[in-house]
Amino acid sequence: MSRVHPPNIPNTLRSKRRASALRAAAFMSPWLIGFSVFFVYPMVSTVYFSFMHYDGFNAPSFTGLKNWSYVFTSYPMFWPALRNTLWLVVIMVTCRVVFGLGTGLLITKIKSGVGVFRTLFYLPYLAPPVAATMAFAFLLNPGTGPVNSLLERVGLPSPGWFNDPAWSKPALTLLAVWGIGDLMVIFMAALLDVPTEQYEAAELDGASAWQRFRFVTLPNISPIVMFAVVTGVIQTMQYYTQPMVAGKVASGVIGGSGQQFEPGYPDKSTLTLPQLVYNLGFQRFDYGSACVVALVLFALSMVFTAFLMRRRGGLIQAGE
Amino acid sequence: MPAHRRRAAVTLAATASIALFASACTGQSSSGATDDASKETTITFWHGWSAPSEVKAVKAAVAGFEKVHPNIHVKTVGNMNDDKINQALRAGGDKAPDVVSSFTTNNVGKFCSSGAFVDLGPFFKKAGIDPDTTFPKAMNEYTQFDGKRCTVPLLGDAYGLYYNKNLFKAAGIAQPPKTWSEFAADAKKLTKTSGDDSYERVGTMPTYHGYEFTTEHILAQWSPTYFTADGKSNIAKDPAFKAGLRMQKRLVDSLGGYRRLEKFRATFGDEWGPKHPFTQGKVAMQVDGEWRLGMAEDAKPGFDIGVAPMPVPDDQVADYGKGYITGTIAGIPATSTKKNAAWEFVKYLTTDTDAVVNFANAIHNVPSTLAALKSPKLKYDPRFKTFLDIAENPKSTTTPASANGGSYLVTLQNLGYDYEKGKVTDLDKGLADAAKQIDTDIAQAK
Amino acid sequence: MNHSPDARRSLALRRTLVLRWVGVHALAVAAALFFVLPFVFVLFTSLMSDQQALTRDLIPHTWEWGNYRKVFDTPGFLTWWRNTLVYAGLGTVLTVASSVPVAYALAKFRFRGRNLSLMLVISMMMLPPQVVVIPMYLFWAKQLDLSGTLWPLIIPMAFGDAFSIFLLRQFLMTIPNEYLDAARVDGCGELRTLLRIVLPMAKPGIAAVALFQFFYAWNDYFGPQIYASENPGAWTLSYGLESFKGAHHTDWNLTMAATVLVMAPVILVFFFAQKAFVEGVTLTGVKG
């Protein structure tokens, strides 16, 4: 960035460089504007507002660290949201990766009807999140949903799913696992890239199926597994639509029904950080505290993004 | 970008952003009603009703108004909730509404203290209407905050007790319970278990997720004082809260315990659908609003539905007949440029006896003026009278407005959930913590 | 029977193969049921009467195709369709137009700050939209008076979308430099090279980006919730679907019919553009 030009570059070269820099700037210009207006400006502004009291009506006033201490020590939703995020990172991301890898493997083993199966496995991933959540809220409705009626028919206990704090996150996990089409495709591509000679060699050594998976497949696809895990974590940080819609539908508090929907239904069990930004910013209109949560969310996302970019090899390479 | 230029850019961005919020403060329009309400004009009215019959009722009310004020046209936008209203009020602009109504009283405090709605006091004075003698006491209370009347009641809801007469007869219970002790005894008598761990029916579903059996509705019967004069939470000091929460907990325990009841509750249908457990005979007594009567009859339950006021604490038998009151409210946003025309509409909708009566008849809610409550034009099922009486009863209570909206009710409700579940065992400490939380939240909102 | 050892071994081998075939396919069928049954139940429920939709029946007694008509007759539903198409269509065009040159520069130019730019693009790609929503909302609503419309969601797409830039850059990296050099030797300027040589070769990448962006807008719930919620005339399908449920309480049959109508276009588009889509997923593996 701050490297100084060597002084003895011939003029033609220098002007050529200037021309190429200009050219790059011209091609990059849409993004440069977008980056400044939609990223730099709001980030600066978010930091600024995090120290202000602002309700949207009266002019912002400086409050020092009040919003920060409110969010960390008194805002009753903050820690539950972090705990839920941790739960989702550990359980939901793991389930998604395991099932994604499982279906990927299954697809590579299938001899007939691959195309049909691949399409069927992939379809749920395409279902718009609001529609998919709506569908699952219906399927898992404890009173009248088909899932519980099937469970009862075979004599299994029927959980309260989106209505029970102990089952709401598992229900969301089920919904997330349903839509693993993206991971399946990525794993499929990675699995097909594993050199067949390695399998043949392992087979000659008398390796069992599990050993072949453990010592040939896994090492070969580990960068992709890593990638799936890290992007899964980042997606979990952004998890918003599904818990919000599921909570609204399950609690029955939607739209014009009079009550305000308090995110996290039931019992704060589905709260995530982005929902806190909504609750503080657009329900309580405490823009300052909303900005504090936004900055926490930013910091967490960036830690994992840095991890994504720094891993040598398989992940996103920032360089060549 | 060289370092110094980068720094310059950051500074520039910072300055630009500061310039932006500096101009971002909405000009606090002082009540500034300068429009001429006798000129041809169109105002926008936002409301929350969405069902076809309700939308029809709103249209009819508007038609009635336009007949009296042919120069003022009203454009209605339905299905609005408070999230949307709040957001639109902050955004301002010319798409913003001139009259807003909301189903919940929770945000009245915010609307008043933030200056989002204009103070209607001067308008009332000019029109020669005294709100104190026009509206029932509780409704009059929840439409103002800190001495500012920034909203008006537009129909009300009164809460009472619905009971299954057939089951009562079968159990040999002659009349609906008057006190919570009687209520608990009846509930136990009406409960029928099935197997070791389930029910065929419960006398009542006493957990706070049991639809309208919520902390604020139940506690209302103890006539609690939510805030001290200086605006601090009073829930740890007023013994009403402890008494109410305790009664509910005892009820939960005596009917089989939280776990078992919640498991049964999970099999209930939607509160707003025909599969409501009360109409299905799964629940014998249900605390609910006046609207349930029509809904329950529509579901053709196959038994006689009885209606009574909610029970009272054993030491307050004399006050039997009171209940919890809430309702829809209407107000005029500070951003409206047609406040005088908007006032004409609000005045008509909320204080014209016939208008209120007709609207109440169509929506099946409780009318919100004292005159309308007595109007002979009010059409209702004889049982509905119970709710009219509750609405008129000066001992009926409501939940007061607060600077940060309904947050304090949510905090109290969460304490209720934790207490009934057994997560909180020391109720005094629980109430003290909740009071502290409420105070912190209000301080944060100010 | 007297089989030779060889034949016996091949028989055993064949038996294991058959067993494995059966096992794998049984598993695949089970998985397929898991993925498909929710759609089936939703579809069946959407065709039930409102009374039956509340029962535990799984298959409709009478097939109520009229439910779909009722959904279309719901006030606003067609407006939501139109808004969604505008948001998704216009947004896609703008995104592609603004992202291609940026991706091209990042993939094929050598300039100082390129790696930094790429890192920033990736960071922005990973940024939850809620991080900057407060100032952005104040900006659009208070400065430009554009709340209650979808413009705050569409306009930014004219300034490059991080995900699309990244995906296109990955794709353009795979185009050998020799093609570009040849064009440059022929005297083409960079813009001409981009338009004449690169664009035709990048068609699959552009198609993938366009699809992703279309789906993104179609699925977006947070954006319309923030910017359009107070104006039902500006709602999109994803946002409107929720309020549809709110207005129809327990008419699950109608809600499910509406759900089907929100899902169907995405799935149809997928069938027509399956190849481009799967390629796009494989190329980056991020988001979708």
Side-chain angles (χ1 to χ4, degrees), chain B residues 24 80 87 90-91 95 270, chain C residues 137 142-143 147 226 230 250:
Chain B
M80 283 291 162
Q87 215 166 308
R90 280 168 174 82
K95 291 178 297 287
D270 187 283
Chain C
Y137 173 75
K142 295 215 164 187
Q143 302 304 310
S147 76
I226 294 298
E230 74 253 34
T250 45

Side-chain angles (χ1 to χ4, degrees), chain B residues 105-132:
Chain B
T105 62
N106 283 351
N107 289 309
V108 171
K110 230 189 306 186
F111 292 151
C112 285
S113 64
S114 61
F117 280 13
V118 291
D119 187 355
L120 296 173
F123 289 93
F124 270 103
K125 209 173 244 172
K126 216 164 82 189
I129 301 171
D130 178 7
D132 295 345

Side-chain angles (χ1 to χ4, degrees), chain B residues 197-217:
Chain B
D197 202 32
S198 192
Y199 303 88
E200 212 180 293
R201 165 179 84 231
V202 286
T204 193
M205 179 46 75
T207 64
Y208 290 125
H209 283 298
Y211 302 134
E212 302 299 326
F213 203 92
T214 61
T215 38
E216 66 244 47
H217 297 164

Side-chain angles (χ1 to χ4, degrees), chain B residues 1 20-21 23-26 46 50-51 77-80 83-85 87-88 90-95 270 272-275, chain C residues 51 54-55 137-139 141-143 145-149 225-232 235 239 243 245-247 249-250:
Chain B
M1 215 189 289
L20 280 178
F21 2 93
S23 56
C25 6
T26 50
W46 281 11
S50 59
V77 182
N79 202 9
M80 283 291 162
D83 281 3
K84 297 173 198 167
I85 292 168
Q87 215 166 308
R90 280 168 174 82
D94 49 355
K95 291 178 297 287
D270 187 283
W272 309 106
K275 283 223 153 186
Chain C
Q51 285 307 312
L54 283 167
T55 64
Y137 173 75
L138 294 173
F139 174 70
K142 295 215 164 187
Q143 302 304 310
D145 194 17
L146 282 175
S147 76
T149 72
Q225 184 187 27
I226 294 298
Y227 291 107
S229 65
E230 74 253 34
N231 176 13
W235 288 357
Y239 188 68
S243 84
K245 168 74 181 76
H249 296 308
T250 45

